Amino acid sequence: MDFNELALEFVKIYYSCHPQGLPEDKEKAFQEINSLHGKYKSQLIDKATRKSEDFFSDKL
């Protein structure tokens, strides 16, 4: 599963728990979902990068 799919699953979980949080306007709703997806995706990428750097570092 890549970062886009994983972030999308987090967004689905978020909005299934907060159904009243999505705006009625389709454009605003899309922008909100897109923003939340980007935040989750960047957090996942940062976390994976840190794990990779820690794994390949010479720390003992």
Side-chain angles (χ1 to χ4, degrees):
M1 190 177 270
D2 69 345
F3 293 120
N4 282 323
E5 293 173 352
L6 191 56
L8 183 61
E9 290 300 317
F10 280 125
V11 171
K12 287 179 185 178
I13 292 168
Y14 177 84
Y15 281 112
S16 68
C17 295
H18 301 93
Q20 73 280 4
L22 201 57
E24 293 293 323
D25 183 27
K26 290 181 182 180
E27 286 297 318
K28 288 181 182 178
F30 176 75
Q31 291 298 327
E32 189 174 322
I33 289 172
N34 196 22
S35 173
L36 190 60
H37 178 268
K39 289 177 185 177
Y40 279 126
K41 184 178 172 186
S42 66
Q43 287 178 353
L44 291 169
I45 290 172
D46 289 343
K47 186 177 178 180
T49 302
R50 275 187 264 117
K51 282 185 178 180
S52 177
E53 288 173 352
D54 289 345
F55 180 76
F56 289 109
S57 70
D58 292 335
K59 297 178 190 176
L60 293 178

